[in-house]
Each structure stands twice: as structure tokens, then as C-alpha cells.
Amino acid sequence: MDKAGVRWTTEQVLALAPDDSSRKAGNKLSTAGPWSEAGSSAAGAVWGLCKGSGSKPYRTVVDTTGPAYKCSCPSRKFPCKHALGLLLLRAADETAVGEAEAPDWAREWLDARGKRSGGEGGGGGTAAPAADPEAARRRAERRAGRITAGAVELEQRLADLLRGGLASAEQAGYGLWEETAARMVDAQAPGLASRVRELGAIPGSGPGWPARLLEESSLLHLLNAGWLGLDGVPEPLATTVRTRVGLPSPSSGAPVRDRWLVLAQYDTSDGKVVTRRVWLRGRDSGRWALVLSFGAAGRSPQLSLPVGALLDAAVTPHGGAGQLRADWGEQFGAPGAVGGPPPGGSASDALAAYGSALRDDPWLESWPVTLTDVIPVPGPGGGWQVADANGESALPLAPAALARPGLWKLAALSGGGPVTVFGECGHRGFHPLAAWSPEATGTVVLT
């Protein structure tokens, strides 16, 4: 432990990596060989020079209180392999990155960050002109009109599907659905477009697809009906409908300061945009928060928090029924010591929590839950499940979780004994993201 807080473990550092290739590249730079002038400060800064292919070494500096990263390499990933390698070196051997006075190039960046955080880095430029509220209102009305037209067209498409029978969806192929999705994009309703594409993929998803297609079509019809009758939908459900259709959901309300436990972090991609999901749990308030960060055009999302750390910070929640999304705000100090996993319950409790959340948001894919005293065991049909140690109930693992190495890490951690697991519980099953064992210290990342 340093004066600024808890030194990150190797697991926490690797969890910051934007992808597997970055983890492998960072591991190769985790020895003292390529590094020179490496050092750290009591305020949580870490820096060093890493030998590269050129004549000049790469200047790498990390502010662990952010965390934030700066490197002179041309990589567009955050953090880059040099930042990962430096943090891995420090995690493995603190003496290799001992306390020292920061060089000028590192101090300059750190000072600039401090000024921005303190509100002193305004820059003195001309302030951006205030938005015209009347023009914004007209733009919102035009977009709402396009979305309404798209929803009416989509309702006709769903009616045609039911009139022709679900079997016709398999015969029509994916092309018709993709054309419909493109029409929703033209209508500026990306949420509807995404759900239409999911419908198009269901006929090829294996046995039982007609029932799944009917279920998803019903949910899409419900969303259309909610938008077309939005004037009669009460708040905050109306905000949820707007968000599900694809309208932006700005943060609202007062920031919530708490000691946030970083439970999980993972990326998903639709081929155009990379979405990073960071799950938080307030140690004092007991509330969940989901922080999203986005990267486009080959860039990984910039926000990256150390899984397993406890951060004193403020987040600003978004509106909407059952919405857990929040914006990451100001952080107060460096990461602190974690006292253990968040409180949890049984598999039955997890299902009850998801069911309760569905009352507020019928289109909710999953809900964050912590399971205590569960054992990962093979399930019927070749799958896996997490079962209560007392044998009363169990949750099947989601199909996506079965193909990931996190399943085998969870099984190895358990060794046939009970563990605590955090993950997402939804209609497709349970997706484990982090775990804790009485015999192991710290958070085991499963993503």
C-alpha cells in the first residue's frame, strides 16, 4: 500500500486493458528491462520511459486517482500497452517503481490535470454561444415526427408478420429485416433499428425460434405502442420509452457521492461503436450504477476504472424508470481498501430482483445481482448453472458466458465449494462478471 491508497493488483491492471491483444502486449512490457527513470508519487502518479522501436523512448505517465493515461506512443487505445506494462511492473515489484520526484514532462501533464479538476483550466477562450431553445424545440419536434412515422411503419411490418404466420420469417430471410432496420435509422430511431435487427437474427438461432420471435415481436409492439401513446404514459416510464426508442438520455438530478466499488468492466461492439460498461455499487448507499463510455473509429473508450477498487467519487444518475445509468463525475482521492464483496442473496432473490425491475422497464435485458454461497456446476443439456449451496435453487448461465474463459476461472476458484459471484441476471440466464472466494484475496475478474 502506498500513501495515496491501495496499490493495484495484477488482476486489476489487466481488467483495465481495452482488449486481449493489449493485455498480451502489456504483459511483455511488465519487466524492468524496457523501462528507465520509472517512479511514482504519494499522490498516485506513476511514470516511466519505455524503450520502443525508435531512437526516443516513449514517455508514459498514469494518474491512478483518475485513472487517466498519457503516452507519447501513437496508439489510439486507452490505456495503451506501455501504460499497462508500467502498472503491471509496479503491481509485481513496487521497488522497481519507487517514490521519486516527477520529471518535468510528467509533472507538466499532472499539473494540467490538477488545474482542470480544480476548475482553473478554463483556457481563456471565447465561450461557446448559448443554444437557441426555440431551434432546439423545432429540431426535437421534427425528430419526434420522423420517429412516429417509423413506428407506424414498423407496426404495419409486425402486423404483416403475424398475418402471414411466423414461418414466413424464416422463408423471407434476413434481408427484409435489414431493410426495415435501415428505415428505422432513417427515422432517427436507432433503438427501434437495433431491435429489428435482433428480430431478423432469431429465425436462425436454433430450435424454439418461433416462440422467441413472438416474444421479441410483442416487446417491440409494446415499445411502439408506448411511443405512439407517449402523451398518456406517466413519468418516469415515458423517459424510459424515449430512451429505448433511441433518444438521448441526459443525466439529471444531483450528483451522488459515495464510496463506489468497481465490480466489473467489459466492452461490446456493434462493428461501428465500442461500448464499455462499468458496474458500480455504492458502499454506503447500496445503490447500483452503470457507467457507459464509447469509442468510435478504431478508438477504445477512454474511461477505464480498476475492477475491485473502492473509489470515493460522485456520479450523476440518468432519468427513467428502472434506469441505472449514471455519468462518472469527480473523484476524491485515490482508490481505497475494499472490505469484501457487496451484500447478496440466493438465486431466487436474483430472479425476484430482475422481475421487480421488469415492472418499471419491460424491455430490460438484465439486472445486476450478487449471489452468495453458490457453486458453479454442470447443468442439464450440456450447459452450466450456479446453484445455491443448500440446493434450493439455481440459475442457468447465459449462452454467451459458456463460450468465455471466465466460466473456467469461476469453476477453478470454486473448486466445488461456495463462492460469491456478481453478474447480470436476465431472461437469457446469468452472466458472471466477478467473483470472491473465502480462500482467495481480492476480486477475481471473469470478463
Side-chain angles (χ1 to χ4, degrees):
M1 181 183 296
D2 59 30
K3 297 178 183 178
V6 177
R7 181 162 51 99
W8 292 348
T9 65
T10 298
E11 282 272 357
Q12 289 174 325
V13 175
L14 291 176
L16 297 171
D19 49 43
D20 287 336
S21 61
S22 296
R23 291 187 185 95
K24 294 177 182 178
N27 269 317
K28 293 179 180 179
L29 299 174
S30 62
T31 61
W35 292 97
S36 61
E37 300 183 28
S40 62
S41 73
V46 187
W47 59 83
L49 300 176
C50 186
K51 183 179 180 181
S53 56
S55 58
K56 294 183 178 179
Y58 294 123
R59 295 176 171 180
T60 307
V61 57
V62 180
D63 180 1
T64 62
T65 64
Y69 319 91
K70 175 69 174 179
C71 187
S72 59
C73 74
S75 174
R76 304 172 76 181
K77 296 180 179 181
F78 296 95
C80 68
K81 63 181 181 180
H82 305 101
L84 290 171
L86 180 61
L87 292 173
L88 287 170
L89 173 63
R90 183 176 183 242
D93 183 7
E94 189 174 11
T95 61
V97 192
E99 284 197 25
E101 183 178 350
D104 292 342
W105 55 269
R107 188 169 56 250
E108 180 180 349
W109 180 76
L110 292 168
D111 289 346
R113 269 188 54 77
K115 290 179 180 179
R116 288 195 297 270
S117 300
E120 301 172 11
T126 303
D132 183 351
E134 180 61 26
R137 184 189 64 80
R138 290 195 297 268
R139 287 194 298 270
E141 288 180 350
R142 288 195 296 268
R143 181 173 184 180
R146 295 188 188 100
I147 294 175
T148 297
V152 170
E153 180 180 346
L154 184 52
E155 279 293 281
Q156 184 61 52
R157 175 72 181 91
L158 293 175
D160 292 343
L161 172 65
L162 295 179
R163 188 179 299 110
L166 295 179
S168 64
E170 188 176 32
Q171 300 167 358
Y174 187 76
L176 184 59
W177 293 106
E178 182 59 36
E179 179 184 346
T180 305
R183 298 279 293 172
M184 296 304 104
V185 172
D186 292 341
Q188 294 183 283
L192 295 181
S194 176
R195 290 184 173 271
V196 168
R197 291 192 179 97
E198 291 177 3
L199 287 184
I202 290 177
S205 62
W209 68 264
R212 291 193 294 274
L213 180 60
L214 182 59
E215 291 170 358
E216 294 301 324
S217 296
S218 300
L219 285 172
L220 184 53
H221 166 68
L222 181 64
L223 183 56
N224 280 336
W227 174 263
L228 295 175
L230 194 62
D231 291 341
V233 177
E235 292 288 355
L237 183 58
T239 299
T240 299
V241 171
R242 297 186 192 97
T243 302
R244 294 299 183 186
V245 164
L247 291 176
S249 169
S251 56
S252 59
V256 178
R257 181 176 177 179
D258 203 337
R259 295 178 300 151
W260 297 98
L261 174 59
V262 185
L263 292 168
Q265 175 176 288
Y266 66 95
D267 295 350
T268 58
S269 175
D270 63 1
K272 297 180 181 179
V273 177
V274 177
T275 302
R276 175 164 296 163
R277 300 165 65 89
V278 182
W279 279 111
L280 308 172
R281 169 85 175 195
R283 182 68 86 185
D284 301 324
S285 65
R287 67 187 296 164
W288 300 102
L290 174 62
V291 179
L292 300 182
S293 181
F294 303 94
R299 291 182 176 271
S300 60
Q302 292 198 28
L303 179 66
S304 187
L305 301 178
V307 175
L310 191 65
L311 307 178
D312 182 4
V315 302
T316 304
H318 286 230
Q323 298 297 304
L324 299 178
R325 185 180 173 187
D327 288 343
W328 184 252
E330 182 180 359
Q331 182 176 331
F332 307 92
V338 178
S346 65
S348 297
D349 294 333
L351 289 174
Y354 177 52
S356 178
L358 283 174
R359 292 182 302 183
D360 295 327
D361 183 356
W363 307 279
L364 191 66
E365 292 289 327
S366 59
W367 188 258
V369 296
T370 303
L371 305 176
T372 56
D373 293 331
V374 294
I375 304 173
V377 295
W384 279 72
Q385 58 187 4
V386 282
D388 292 333
N390 58 18
E392 290 187 356
S393 57
L395 286 176
L397 294 192
L402 299 177
R404 296 181 178 176
L407 169 60
W408 307 114
K409 293 174 67 175
L410 177 60
L413 179 69
S414 167
V419 292
T420 298
V421 186
F422 165 77
E424 298 170 345
C425 179
H427 63 92
R428 293 184 177 89
F430 179 69
H431 189 176
L433 300 173
W436 299 261
S437 169
E439 287 75 30
T441 59
T443 304
V444 176
V445 179
L446 303 178
T447 54

